[in-house]
Amino acid sequence: MLRCGQMIFAQALVCRHLGRDWRWIKGKRQMDNYFNVLNAFIDKKDSYYSIHQIAQMGVGEGKSIGQWYGPNTVAQVLKKLATFDTWSSLAVHIAMDNTVVMEEIRRLCQSHVPCAGAAACPALESDVLYNGCPEDLGLRGRLPLWKPLVLLIPLRLGLTEINEAYIETLKHCFMMPQSLGVIGGKPNSAHYFIGFVGEELIYLDPHTTQPAVEPGDSGCLPDESFHCQHPPCRMSIAELDPSIAVGFFCNTEADFNDWCQQIKKLSLVRGALPMFELVERQPSHFSNPDVLNLTPDSSDADRLERFFDSEDEDFEILSL
């Protein structure tokens, strides 16, 4: 699951820095941003999202090094690691309790912080903004008003197997232009799902041992092993373990608004049971920090998220 977490987050960085339409072509010279993305995941301790960083950060989530991660745990770890990735400057939101609160996401993504030198070149009220940015960002010295959003939604779609009522909704999620795919798998086997054909899911399997990649003398990476050069695997949707995490990437506020509209329309599709709820504001029945006697600092926010955790070990089937 650690590798699957890397795969879905790597797709987010590709969308962020290279664009969703970018494709890898063997032997073609790539731009610098491409190698920056690869370096963020290379197996070295100082890489942003290396296997070392994920395993070490997982200790803070109660997972010993070498212990199996569920989709929710790896999502929580990636969210923490993303705060150190100032190059990507992502807003990572994990929707807990099967509920996506639009107000929380807008508050997270619309935080505007002037960068160094902004005081010397104050922006005028009449500045024309494009996607939240002044047209001449370098002169104005301002950061974008909308930080690109990575939205991860941990879900449990059944007890021991996926509920068939959710299958059509899951298919529609893959068809959305904001989709990053799904991390999950079969029992004791983690996969990264990227789409579907009929009643089968298309997935990439990280369980392949290969030599470690080292940067060359020129600083470039031999990159062939980072890409799938054979047809991806398939499996029946019915075999999917019910514990998954669905991912979406919204580069602009318009992307997020469009995603919200698609989710609302999806709730009207006959035979498609919603996998999660989309609300404008946090429902009143949600627990808040006061209930748990927490203060709103970052560590307590993490504890509050774990209060709503939905990992496998939190479920127990009772015999009647």
Side-chain angles (χ1 to χ4, degrees):
M1 188 58 71
L2 279 70
R3 291 296 190 190
C4 291
Q6 286 182 313
M7 293 161 86
I8 195 171
F9 225 75
Q11 178 62 22
L13 263 62
V14 166
C15 293
R16 169 74 174 91
H17 298 290
L18 303 175
R20 186 172 289 275
D21 295 331
W22 175 86
R23 295 293 183 271
W24 177 76
I25 300 176
K26 185 177 180 180
K28 180 181 178 181
R29 181 177 178 82
Q30 300 292 341
M31 61 185 73
D32 290 341
N33 277 354
Y34 167 76
F35 291 103
N36 290 338
V37 171
L38 293 189
N39 276 302
F41 296 91
I42 197 170
D43 289 340
K44 290 185 177 295
K45 189 175 181 180
D46 56 351
S47 297
Y48 289 131
Y49 309 104
S50 69
I51 201 79
H52 310 73
Q53 295 280 14
I54 295 176
Q56 186 61 49
M57 190 65 76
V59 175
E61 291 293 324
K63 297 289 185 180
S64 302
I65 294 178
Q67 190 175 354
W68 188 85
Y69 283 36
N72 180 55
T73 301
V74 75
Q76 299 287 356
V77 168
L78 289 169
K79 176 183 177 180
K80 289 183 176 181
L81 292 177
T83 61
F84 301 98
D85 183 6
T86 55
W87 174 61
S88 299
S89 187
L90 296 172
V92 182
H93 181 77
I94 301 176
M96 303 303 297
D97 205 36
N98 297 355
T99 304
V100 177
V101 183
M102 292 183 283
E103 184 182 57
E104 292 181 354
I105 292 176
R106 290 195 175 96
R107 188 185 307 124
L108 175 68
C109 294
Q110 291 177 344
S111 56
H112 171 60
V113 181
C115 65
C121 300
L124 301 177
E125 293 183 0
S126 59
D127 281 346
V128 177
L129 301 183
Y130 177 74
N131 184 32
C133 303
E135 287 184 337
D136 191 346
L137 183 61
L139 293 178
R140 298 298 193 275
R142 301 174 67 184
L143 293 178
L145 289 179
W146 178 271
K147 295 180 67 175
L149 169 69
V150 175
L151 174 60
L152 300 173
I153 311 174
L155 300 167
R156 189 169 184 88
L157 306 180
L159 287 177
T160 58
E161 58 186 28
I162 187 172
N163 188 329
E164 293 183 357
Y166 295 117
I167 290 179
E168 287 303 315
T169 308
L170 182 60
K171 288 180 178 180
H172 278 80
C173 287
F174 284 117
M175 293 187 286
M176 294 179 182
Q178 297 86 356
S179 175
L180 289 176
V182 173
I183 53 175
K186 296 179 288 190
N188 302 316
S189 184
H191 300 313
Y192 172 41
F193 299 95
I194 58 176
F196 73 95
V197 175
E199 298 304 312
E200 291 184 318
L201 293 173
I202 303 172
Y203 69 90
L204 303 178
D205 188 344
H207 301 91
T208 302
T209 303
Q210 54 191 5
V213 174
E214 294 288 344
D217 295 335
S218 62
C220 294
L221 292 171
D223 62 347
E224 292 185 9
S225 65
F226 284 86
H227 301 277
C228 183
Q229 302 184 64
H230 54 78
C233 307
R234 296 189 186 185
M235 61 173 268
S236 170
I237 297 179
E239 297 178 30
L240 180 66
D241 187 276
S243 181
I244 65 172
V246 184
F248 300 96
F249 176 77
C250 300
N251 193 42
T252 67
E253 186 173 8
D255 288 341
F256 177 66
N257 292 336
D258 177 70
W259 178 83
C260 291
Q261 290 302 317
Q262 291 186 71
I263 294 298
K264 292 175 181 177
K265 291 179 181 178
L266 183 55
S267 65
L268 304 177
V269 175
R270 179 176 297 180
L273 186 66
M275 298 189 301
F276 53 87
E277 186 179 6
L278 179 67
V279 297
E280 180 62 39
R281 295 177 179 81
Q282 180 172 293
S284 57
H285 64 268
F286 268 33
S287 295
N288 55 58
D290 292 336
V291 175
L292 302 178
N293 295 320
L294 301 179
T295 55
D297 61 28
S298 59
S299 60
D300 285 335
D302 295 332
R303 289 167 54 199
L304 182 58
E305 285 183 336
R306 290 199 295 273
F307 176 78
F308 290 118
D309 202 341
S310 57
E311 288 294 332
D312 290 349
E313 57 264 30
D314 292 337
F315 289 84
E316 181 177 356
I317 301 177
L318 303 177
S319 57
L320 302 177

